[in-house]
Amino acid sequence: MVLTQAQLEQFDRDGYLFFPNHFSAEEIKKLTDEVPHLYAQQRPENVREKGTNAVRTNFAAHMYSEPYARLARHPRMIKPVEQVFGESLYMHQFKINVKQAFDGDVWQWHQDYGTWLNDDEMPEPRAMNIAIFLDEVNEFNGPLMFIPGSHKLGVLDAGHDLTTTSYPLWTIDNDSITKLVGRGGIVAPKGPAGSMIMFHSCLVHASSSNLSPWNRVSVYLSLCAVSNHIRRFKRAGYIAHRDFAPITC
C-alpha cells in the first residue's frame, strides 16, 4: 500500500488518516477468534481494568500468537509508515485494547509520544500508531477521539496520572484540552470491523468509557523508525520492546 500525495498532505495537516473496510471479514475473523484465548490467560501482558477482572489491554500478542505475528509484519500497515519516515521500522509496542461492554474505562487525553519520551527516552516523535478495528466502532462504545492538527504543536506539558485508571499515562490537563479543542475541534472516526486509522504520535487523543452493550476491540501497532529507538529500559520489555531489528514484511 502506497499513500498518495493527497493522503500525505492530509496526514501532515490533520495528523491522521482513516481507511474504512481496510481488512476483509475473513481476515478480521482470524484475529477476533484468537482474542478470547489471549484474554483468558493469566499473564502479566494482560492489564485489567481497575477493580475488575475485565481486560483493558493485552501486550505483545505478536510474540506468542501466530495470527498476530503475521499481522505485525503485514505490508498494509508497515509500508505507509516506512513511506512517511523514509526508513525501516521496528515494533515499539503492540497491544490489543478492549472497551468491554459496560465495563470499558476511559483513556484520558494524552499524546503517545509524551509517554514514549518520558518513560522510554525515545529521541524524536518519529513513531506512530496504526489502529485496526476488530469490532464495529460507533458513537456509543467509546470511539477514539482526536484533536486534528494538535500534532503540529510538538510535545505538550503533561502530568503523570497514576490513579485514574489501571494503566499510567502522561495526561494533558482540562484547560489545555479546552484550548486545543477550540482551535481544532474533535473528530471520532467510526466504521465497521476491518477499518484502520494511522495517526501521529503527537496527535492528542482520548476515549470515553463504554456504557453500551457492544465490545470495542482494536489492535494497535506502535511503529518507530529504527534510528529513533528508545534509550531507556524502565518499562517491562513486553510494553516497550528492546528488539530494534527492522520489520521484514
Side-chain angles (χ1 to χ4, degrees), residues 135-161:
D135 294 308
E136 177 191 5
V137 175
N138 57 48
E139 60 266 45
F140 306 111
N141 62 353
L144 274 173
M145 300 183 291
F146 298 125
I147 302 178
S150 55
H151 66 299
K152 294 279 196 179
L153 303 176
V155 182
L156 303 173
D157 289 338
H160 205 191
D161 186 342

Side-chain angles (χ1 to χ4, degrees), residues 221-238:
L221 289 75
S222 298
L223 300 165
C224 184
V226 169
S227 66
N228 193 51
H229 67 78
I230 64 173
R231 290 354 190 219
R232 178 190 289 167
F233 309 115
K234 166 185 169 182
R235 299 198 289 172
Y238 60 82

